[in-house]
Amino acid sequence: MIVKFWGVRGSIPTPGVDTAKYGGNTVCIEIKFAEIQRRIIIDAGSGLRLLGNHLMVKHGAQRALKTDIFLTHTHLDHIIGFPFFAPIFLPDTRLKIYGPVTCETESLETVMGGQLSYRYFPIRQQELAAQIDYLNLTEGCFDLGDDIRLTTKYLNHPLLCLGFRFEYNGKICCTAYDTEPFQNLFVTDTQDPAFDAIMAHQGAVAAKEENDRLEAFFAGADLLIHDAQYTQQEYESSRRGWGHSPVEYAIKAAQRSEVKRLALFHHDPMRTDTQLDELTKLRCHRHQTGDTDVFFAREGMQVEI
Ligand SMILES: [Zn+2]
Ligand SMILES: [Zn+2]
C-alpha cells in the first residue's frame, strides 16, 4: 500500500506562509494498491481538490475513473473538498461513497449533497455527471474485494465517527481520527455531593475498556494515522470533550499497541510550521518513542507500507 497525504489539517483550511511546510488543506488521504490498480480515498476535505486535479492530469478527462471514498464522518472539514473534486463532473466516473449511519433523518447522500445546492454552490447535486452510489457503514468487518479487508470501529467524537483498519497483503493501515480518549462519564471528585463511589468506579472501568478496545483495533498496524490536534497541556486546560486527542496520548497509545509507524494527524488550524517542527523535536525522538517511528503528517507526503 502506498499512502499519500493530500490534506492533514483539521477544522478549517489554513493557507498562508505559516503553514506552507505541513500544508493548509483539510483531511484527505489516498491509499494506492499498485498491483491491483485500486485506489481508496479517506475523507473529502479540501485536500480532495488537489487529488482530483492530479487524477485528471494522470488519467486524462477521457478515461473512466473508478474509486471508493470512505468518510470517517461528515463534519465540514471532512467533506468540503467534495464539490471541487473534478472527476464528479465527468460521465465516466464511478464513485462509491461510504459513510457512517447517524441518528439523523437525512441520508448520507443528502448530507454530502446538501453542499451542492444553489444556497452554497453554483451547481446542484442532480447536475453531477458522475455515477455516485452512497453506502452506509456501521461497525464491522467488510470484504472490499481483491483481498482488501476493512474493519471499522466507532471512535469518541461529538458526531458518530469511524476509525478504519485496511488490511492487504499482510500489511495494515489504520486511521483513528477525529477522536479523543474515552472518559469516565461519572463524577470523580469525592468532594462533589453527586459523587458515588460505585458509579465512579464503573465509569473508570468502562472508559478503560473502550480505550483498550480502540488500541486493540490498531494493534500491530504498519501505519497508524491518529488524531493529534492538541498538546496535553492544551487538552487539559480547555479542550476536553471537543473530540480530539493530545499528541502525547496518541504516541503512548501507539507504543502500547506496537504500531510500527505513527502519523500524527488532523493538525490544529492555529498550529504553525514552526510549532510543528518544535513538537517534532520535543516528541518524536526515537529514544522517547521506542520501536514506533513517529512523525507529523505533511501534505504531499507519501508512505509505503
Ligand atoms: Zn475534523
Ligand atoms: Zn469532527
Short mmCIF file of all heavy atoms in Angstrom, two decimals, residues 246-294:
data_model
loop_
_atom_site.label_atom_id
_atom_site.label_comp_id
_atom_site.label_asym_id
_atom_site.label_seq_id
_atom_site.Cartn_x
_atom_site.Cartn_y
_atom_site.Cartn_z
N PRO A 246 -4.64 14.56 22.50
CA PRO A 246 -3.32 15.17 22.66
C PRO A 246 -2.25 14.32 21.95
O PRO A 246 -2.37 13.10 21.89
CB PRO A 246 -3.09 15.15 24.17
CG PRO A 246 -4.32 14.63 24.80
CD PRO A 246 -5.13 13.96 23.76
N VAL A 247 -1.23 15.00 21.46
CA VAL A 247 -0.08 14.34 20.81
C VAL A 247 0.49 13.25 21.71
O VAL A 247 0.74 12.12 21.27
CB VAL A 247 1.02 15.40 20.53
CG1 VAL A 247 2.31 14.75 20.07
CG2 VAL A 247 0.53 16.43 19.53
N GLU A 248 0.70 13.61 22.99
CA GLU A 248 1.34 12.68 23.93
C GLU A 248 0.54 11.39 24.09
O GLU A 248 1.10 10.30 24.16
CB GLU A 248 1.51 13.36 25.32
CG GLU A 248 2.49 14.52 25.34
CD GLU A 248 1.86 15.85 24.89
OE1 GLU A 248 0.79 15.86 24.25
OE2 GLU A 248 2.47 16.90 25.18
N TYR A 249 -0.78 11.53 24.12
CA TYR A 249 -1.63 10.34 24.26
C TYR A 249 -1.53 9.45 23.02
O TYR A 249 -1.41 8.22 23.13
CB TYR A 249 -3.10 10.75 24.49
CG TYR A 249 -4.01 9.56 24.57
CD1 TYR A 249 -4.17 8.86 25.78
CD2 TYR A 249 -4.69 9.08 23.45
CE1 TYR A 249 -4.98 7.75 25.86
CE2 TYR A 249 -5.50 7.96 23.52
CZ TYR A 249 -5.64 7.30 24.73
OH TYR A 249 -6.43 6.18 24.80
N ALA A 250 -1.57 10.08 21.85
CA ALA A 250 -1.51 9.30 20.60
C ALA A 250 -0.22 8.48 20.55
O ALA A 250 -0.23 7.31 20.15
CB ALA A 250 -1.58 10.26 19.40
N ILE A 251 0.89 9.09 20.98
CA ILE A 251 2.18 8.39 20.94
C ILE A 251 2.16 7.20 21.91
O ILE A 251 2.56 6.09 21.55
CB ILE A 251 3.34 9.35 21.26
CG1 ILE A 251 3.46 10.41 20.15
CG2 ILE A 251 4.66 8.59 21.42
CD1 ILE A 251 4.46 11.52 20.42
N LYS A 252 1.67 7.43 23.13
CA LYS A 252 1.65 6.33 24.11
C LYS A 252 0.74 5.19 23.65
O LYS A 252 1.08 4.01 23.78
CB LYS A 252 1.18 6.86 25.47
CG LYS A 252 2.22 7.70 26.16
CD LYS A 252 2.03 7.70 27.68
CE LYS A 252 2.99 8.66 28.35
NZ LYS A 252 2.50 10.07 28.33
N ALA A 253 -0.43 5.55 23.13
CA ALA A 253 -1.37 4.52 22.67
C ALA A 253 -0.74 3.69 21.55
O ALA A 253 -0.85 2.46 21.51
CB ALA A 253 -2.67 5.17 22.21
N ALA A 254 -0.04 4.36 20.63
CA ALA A 254 0.60 3.65 19.51
C ALA A 254 1.71 2.73 20.00
O ALA A 254 1.86 1.60 19.52
CB ALA A 254 1.16 4.66 18.51
N GLN A 255 2.47 3.20 20.99
CA GLN A 255 3.54 2.37 21.55
C GLN A 255 2.97 1.13 22.23
O GLN A 255 3.46 0.02 22.02
CB GLN A 255 4.34 3.17 22.58
CG GLN A 255 5.29 4.16 21.96
CD GLN A 255 6.01 4.95 23.04
OE1 GLN A 255 5.39 5.61 23.85
NE2 GLN A 255 7.32 4.86 23.05
N ARG A 256 1.92 1.34 23.04
CA ARG A 256 1.30 0.20 23.73
C ARG A 256 0.79 -0.82 22.73
O ARG A 256 0.81 -2.02 22.99
CB ARG A 256 0.12 0.69 24.59
CG ARG A 256 0.53 1.32 25.91
CD ARG A 256 -0.69 1.49 26.81
NE ARG A 256 -1.66 2.44 26.28
CZ ARG A 256 -1.72 3.73 26.62
NH1 ARG A 256 -0.89 4.22 27.52
NH2 ARG A 256 -2.63 4.53 26.09
N SER A 257 0.35 -0.37 21.56
CA SER A 257 -0.23 -1.28 20.56
C SER A 257 0.79 -1.78 19.55
O SER A 257 0.41 -2.37 18.54
CB SER A 257 -1.35 -0.58 19.82
OG SER A 257 -2.23 -0.02 20.73
N GLU A 258 2.05 -1.47 19.80
CA GLU A 258 3.15 -1.93 18.94
C GLU A 258 2.93 -1.56 17.47
O GLU A 258 3.10 -2.36 16.55
CB GLU A 258 3.36 -3.44 19.12
CG GLU A 258 3.76 -3.75 20.55
CD GLU A 258 4.04 -5.23 20.79
OE1 GLU A 258 3.80 -6.03 19.88
OE2 GLU A 258 4.50 -5.55 21.89
N VAL A 259 2.52 -0.31 17.30
CA VAL A 259 2.37 0.25 15.95
C VAL A 259 3.77 0.54 15.41
O VAL A 259 4.64 1.01 16.14
CB VAL A 259 1.53 1.55 16.04
CG1 VAL A 259 1.67 2.39 14.78
CG2 VAL A 259 0.07 1.21 16.33
N LYS A 260 3.99 0.24 14.13
CA LYS A 260 5.34 0.45 13.57
C LYS A 260 5.60 1.91 13.23
O LYS A 260 6.64 2.46 13.55
CB LYS A 260 5.54 -0.45 12.35
CG LYS A 260 5.55 -1.92 12.76
CD LYS A 260 5.80 -2.83 11.58
CE LYS A 260 5.63 -4.28 12.01
NZ LYS A 260 4.21 -4.65 12.30
N ARG A 261 4.63 2.53 12.54
CA ARG A 261 4.79 3.95 12.19
C ARG A 261 3.53 4.70 12.59
O ARG A 261 2.42 4.25 12.30
CB ARG A 261 5.04 4.12 10.69
CG ARG A 261 6.25 3.35 10.19
CD ARG A 261 6.62 3.78 8.79
NE ARG A 261 7.36 5.03 8.81
CZ ARG A 261 7.76 5.68 7.71
NH1 ARG A 261 7.48 5.20 6.53
NH2 ARG A 261 8.43 6.80 7.81
N LEU A 262 3.73 5.84 13.23
CA LEU A 262 2.60 6.66 13.67
C LEU A 262 2.66 8.01 12.98
O LEU A 262 3.63 8.75 13.13
CB LEU A 262 2.66 6.85 15.19
CG LEU A 262 1.70 7.90 15.76
CD1 LEU A 262 0.24 7.51 15.57
CD2 LEU A 262 1.99 8.13 17.25
N ALA A 263 1.60 8.31 12.22
CA ALA A 263 1.48 9.63 11.60
C ALA A 263 0.55 10.47 12.47
O ALA A 263 -0.63 10.14 12.61
CB ALA A 263 0.91 9.50 10.19
N LEU A 264 1.09 11.51 13.09
CA LEU A 264 0.26 12.43 13.89
C LEU A 264 -0.47 13.32 12.90
O LEU A 264 0.13 13.88 11.97
CB LEU A 264 1.14 13.22 14.85
CG LEU A 264 1.88 12.32 15.87
CD1 LEU A 264 3.01 13.09 16.55
CD2 LEU A 264 0.92 11.74 16.90
N PHE A 265 -1.77 13.50 13.11
CA PHE A 265 -2.64 13.97 12.03
C PHE A 265 -3.73 14.89 12.57
O PHE A 265 -3.97 14.95 13.76
CB PHE A 265 -3.25 12.71 11.40
CG PHE A 265 -4.01 12.91 10.13
CD1 PHE A 265 -3.35 13.29 8.96
CD2 PHE A 265 -5.38 12.69 10.08
CE1 PHE A 265 -4.06 13.45 7.77
CE2 PHE A 265 -6.09 12.84 8.89
CZ PHE A 265 -5.42 13.22 7.75
N HIS A 266 -4.44 15.58 11.64
CA HIS A 266 -5.53 16.49 11.97
C HIS A 266 -4.98 17.63 12.83
O HIS A 266 -5.40 17.88 13.96
CB HIS A 266 -6.65 15.72 12.72
CG HIS A 266 -8.00 16.38 12.66
ND1 HIS A 266 -8.35 17.43 13.47
CD2 HIS A 266 -9.09 16.15 11.88
CE1 HIS A 266 -9.60 17.79 13.21
NE2 HIS A 266 -10.07 17.03 12.24
N HIS A 267 -4.01 18.35 12.25
CA HIS A 267 -3.34 19.43 12.98
C HIS A 267 -4.31 20.59 13.25
O HIS A 267 -5.12 20.95 12.40
CB HIS A 267 -2.15 19.96 12.16
CG HIS A 267 -1.22 18.88 11.71
ND1 HIS A 267 -0.90 17.79 12.48
CD2 HIS A 267 -0.52 18.73 10.54
CE1 HIS A 267 -0.06 17.01 11.81
NE2 HIS A 267 0.17 17.56 10.64
N ASP A 268 -4.13 21.18 14.41
CA ASP A 268 -4.96 22.31 14.79
C ASP A 268 -4.74 23.46 13.80
O ASP A 268 -3.61 23.72 13.38
CB ASP A 268 -4.56 22.76 16.22
CG ASP A 268 -5.55 23.74 16.78
OD1 ASP A 268 -6.53 23.28 17.40
OD2 ASP A 268 -5.38 24.96 16.58
N PRO A 269 -5.82 24.19 13.43
CA PRO A 269 -5.63 25.30 12.48
C PRO A 269 -4.71 26.40 13.01
O PRO A 269 -4.15 27.17 12.23
CB PRO A 269 -7.06 25.81 12.25
CG PRO A 269 -7.90 25.20 13.31
CD PRO A 269 -7.23 23.95 13.76
N MET A 270 -4.55 26.49 14.32
CA MET A 270 -3.68 27.51 14.90
C MET A 270 -2.20 27.10 14.90
O MET A 270 -1.33 27.90 15.18
CB MET A 270 -4.08 27.79 16.36
CG MET A 270 -5.48 28.35 16.53
SD MET A 270 -5.65 29.96 15.73
CE MET A 270 -4.84 30.99 16.94
N ARG A 271 -1.94 25.83 14.61
CA ARG A 271 -0.56 25.30 14.72
C ARG A 271 0.27 25.71 13.49
O ARG A 271 -0.08 25.35 12.37
CB ARG A 271 -0.62 23.78 14.82
CG ARG A 271 0.67 23.14 15.24
CD ARG A 271 0.88 23.09 16.73
NE ARG A 271 -0.11 22.29 17.41
CZ ARG A 271 -0.62 22.58 18.61
NH1 ARG A 271 -0.20 23.64 19.28
NH2 ARG A 271 -1.52 21.79 19.17
N THR A 272 1.36 26.43 13.73
CA THR A 272 2.21 26.87 12.62
C THR A 272 3.27 25.81 12.31
O THR A 272 3.49 24.89 13.10
CB THR A 272 2.94 28.18 12.98
OG1 THR A 272 3.81 27.89 14.10
CG2 THR A 272 1.98 29.29 13.36
N ASP A 273 3.94 25.99 11.16
CA ASP A 273 5.05 25.09 10.79
C ASP A 273 6.13 25.08 11.87
O ASP A 273 6.67 24.03 12.21
CB ASP A 273 5.67 25.55 9.47
CG ASP A 273 4.75 25.29 8.28
OD1 ASP A 273 3.88 24.42 8.40
OD2 ASP A 273 4.92 25.97 7.26
N THR A 274 6.45 26.28 12.38
CA THR A 274 7.49 26.38 13.41
C THR A 274 7.12 25.56 14.63
O THR A 274 7.94 24.83 15.20
CB THR A 274 7.67 27.87 13.82
OG1 THR A 274 7.78 28.63 12.64
CG2 THR A 274 8.87 28.08 14.69
N GLN A 275 5.85 25.67 15.03
CA GLN A 275 5.40 24.90 16.20
C GLN A 275 5.43 23.40 15.93
O GLN A 275 5.80 22.62 16.81
CB GLN A 275 3.99 25.34 16.61
CG GLN A 275 3.96 26.74 17.20
CD GLN A 275 2.53 27.24 17.38
OE1 GLN A 275 1.62 26.84 16.65
NE2 GLN A 275 2.34 28.13 18.33
N LEU A 276 5.05 23.00 14.73
CA LEU A 276 5.08 21.56 14.41
C LEU A 276 6.51 21.04 14.37
O LEU A 276 6.79 19.92 14.82
CB LEU A 276 4.36 21.28 13.08
CG LEU A 276 2.83 21.33 13.16
CD1 LEU A 276 2.19 21.38 11.79
CD2 LEU A 276 2.28 20.14 13.95
N ASP A 277 7.43 21.87 13.88
CA ASP A 277 8.85 21.48 13.91
C ASP A 277 9.34 21.33 15.35
O ASP A 277 10.07 20.41 15.67
CB ASP A 277 9.71 22.55 13.19
CG ASP A 277 9.67 22.38 11.67
OD1 ASP A 277 9.29 21.28 11.21
OD2 ASP A 277 10.03 23.33 10.96
N GLU A 278 8.92 22.27 16.20
CA GLU A 278 9.33 22.19 17.61
C GLU A 278 8.75 20.96 18.29
O GLU A 278 9.44 20.27 19.04
CB GLU A 278 8.89 23.46 18.37
CG GLU A 278 9.95 24.54 18.27
CD GLU A 278 9.41 25.92 18.63
OE1 GLU A 278 8.36 25.99 19.32
OE2 GLU A 278 10.02 26.91 18.20
N LEU A 279 7.47 20.69 18.00
CA LEU A 279 6.85 19.50 18.59
C LEU A 279 7.54 18.22 18.09
O LEU A 279 7.66 17.25 18.83
CB LEU A 279 5.36 19.46 18.24
CG LEU A 279 4.44 20.30 19.13
CD1 LEU A 279 3.03 20.33 18.57
CD2 LEU A 279 4.42 19.75 20.56
N THR A 280 7.98 18.24 16.85
CA THR A 280 8.70 17.08 16.30
C THR A 280 9.97 16.84 17.11
O THR A 280 10.26 15.71 17.51
CB THR A 280 9.07 17.32 14.81
OG1 THR A 280 7.85 17.50 14.09
CG2 THR A 280 9.84 16.15 14.23
N LYS A 281 10.72 17.92 17.37
CA LYS A 281 11.96 17.79 18.15
C LYS A 281 11.66 17.30 19.57
O LYS A 281 12.38 16.47 20.12
CB LYS A 281 12.66 19.16 18.24
CG LYS A 281 13.55 19.44 17.04
CD LYS A 281 14.39 20.68 17.29
CE LYS A 281 14.39 21.56 16.05
NZ LYS A 281 14.42 22.99 16.33
N LEU A 282 10.59 17.83 20.14
CA LEU A 282 10.24 17.50 21.53
C LEU A 282 9.71 16.09 21.72
O LEU A 282 10.00 15.44 22.71
CB LEU A 282 9.14 18.46 22.00
CG LEU A 282 9.52 19.69 22.78
CD1 LEU A 282 8.25 20.53 23.03
CD2 LEU A 282 10.15 19.32 24.13
N ARG A 283 8.87 15.65 20.76
CA ARG A 283 8.08 14.43 21.00
C ARG A 283 8.43 13.23 20.12
O ARG A 283 8.03 12.12 20.43
CB ARG A 283 6.58 14.74 20.78
CG ARG A 283 6.03 15.82 21.66
CD ARG A 283 5.79 15.33 23.08
NE ARG A 283 5.50 16.43 23.97
CZ ARG A 283 6.06 16.57 25.16
NH1 ARG A 283 6.92 15.69 25.61
NH2 ARG A 283 5.75 17.60 25.92
N CYS A 284 9.11 13.47 19.00
CA CYS A 284 9.24 12.37 18.03
C CYS A 284 10.62 11.69 18.06
O CYS A 284 10.93 10.89 17.18
CB CYS A 284 8.93 12.85 16.63
SG CYS A 284 7.27 13.54 16.50
N HIS A 285 11.44 12.02 19.04
CA HIS A 285 12.75 11.41 19.15
C HIS A 285 12.65 9.92 19.40
O HIS A 285 11.86 9.49 20.23
CB HIS A 285 13.55 12.06 20.28
CG HIS A 285 14.73 12.79 19.76
ND1 HIS A 285 15.79 12.14 19.20
CD2 HIS A 285 15.00 14.12 19.71
CE1 HIS A 285 16.68 13.04 18.83
NE2 HIS A 285 16.22 14.25 19.11
N ARG A 286 13.48 9.15 18.70
CA ARG A 286 13.38 7.69 18.82
C ARG A 286 13.64 7.20 20.26
O ARG A 286 13.09 6.20 20.68
CB ARG A 286 14.38 7.06 17.84
CG ARG A 286 13.99 5.70 17.29
CD ARG A 286 12.66 5.73 16.57
NE ARG A 286 12.17 4.38 16.30
CZ ARG A 286 12.14 3.81 15.11
NH1 ARG A 286 12.51 4.49 14.05
NH2 ARG A 286 11.69 2.57 14.97
N HIS A 287 14.45 7.95 21.03
CA HIS A 287 14.70 7.47 22.39
C HIS A 287 13.46 7.60 23.28
O HIS A 287 13.38 6.97 24.32
CB HIS A 287 15.92 8.17 23.02
CG HIS A 287 15.74 9.62 23.31
ND1 HIS A 287 16.21 10.60 22.48
CD2 HIS A 287 15.12 10.25 24.33
CE1 HIS A 287 15.90 11.79 22.99
NE2 HIS A 287 15.24 11.60 24.11
N GLN A 288 12.48 8.41 22.82
CA GLN A 288 11.22 8.52 23.57
C GLN A 288 10.16 7.58 23.00
O GLN A 288 9.30 7.10 23.72
CB GLN A 288 10.65 9.94 23.44
CG GLN A 288 11.38 10.97 24.27
CD GLN A 288 10.87 12.35 23.89
OE1 GLN A 288 10.83 12.71 22.73
NE2 GLN A 288 10.46 13.11 24.89
N THR A 289 10.22 7.38 21.69
CA THR A 289 9.11 6.67 21.05
C THR A 289 9.40 5.18 20.88
O THR A 289 8.53 4.43 20.42
CB THR A 289 8.80 7.29 19.66
OG1 THR A 289 9.94 7.11 18.82
CG2 THR A 289 8.48 8.76 19.78
N GLY A 290 10.60 4.75 21.26
CA GLY A 290 10.93 3.33 21.23
C GLY A 290 10.91 2.75 19.83
O GLY A 290 11.50 3.32 18.91
N ASP A 291 10.19 1.65 19.67
CA ASP A 291 10.15 0.97 18.37
C ASP A 291 9.19 1.62 17.39
O ASP A 291 9.09 1.19 16.24
CB ASP A 291 9.76 -0.50 18.58
CG ASP A 291 10.87 -1.27 19.29
OD1 ASP A 291 12.03 -0.83 19.20
OD2 ASP A 291 10.56 -2.27 19.95
N THR A 292 8.44 2.60 17.85
CA THR A 292 7.47 3.24 16.95
C THR A 292 8.10 4.48 16.31
O THR A 292 8.62 5.35 17.01
CB THR A 292 6.19 3.65 17.74
OG1 THR A 292 5.68 2.49 18.41
CG2 THR A 292 5.13 4.21 16.82
N ASP A 293 8.03 4.51 14.98
CA ASP A 293 8.54 5.67 14.25
C ASP A 293 7.41 6.71 14.22
O ASP A 293 6.33 6.44 13.68
CB ASP A 293 8.93 5.20 12.83
CG ASP A 293 9.36 6.34 11.95
OD1 ASP A 293 9.87 7.35 12.49
OD2 ASP A 293 9.19 6.24 10.71
N VAL A 294 7.65 7.88 14.81
CA VAL A 294 6.58 8.88 14.95
C VAL A 294 6.92 10.14 14.15
O VAL A 294 8.03 10.64 14.22
CB VAL A 294 6.39 9.26 16.44
CG1 VAL A 294 5.26 10.28 16.60
CG2 VAL A 294 6.11 8.03 17.29
#
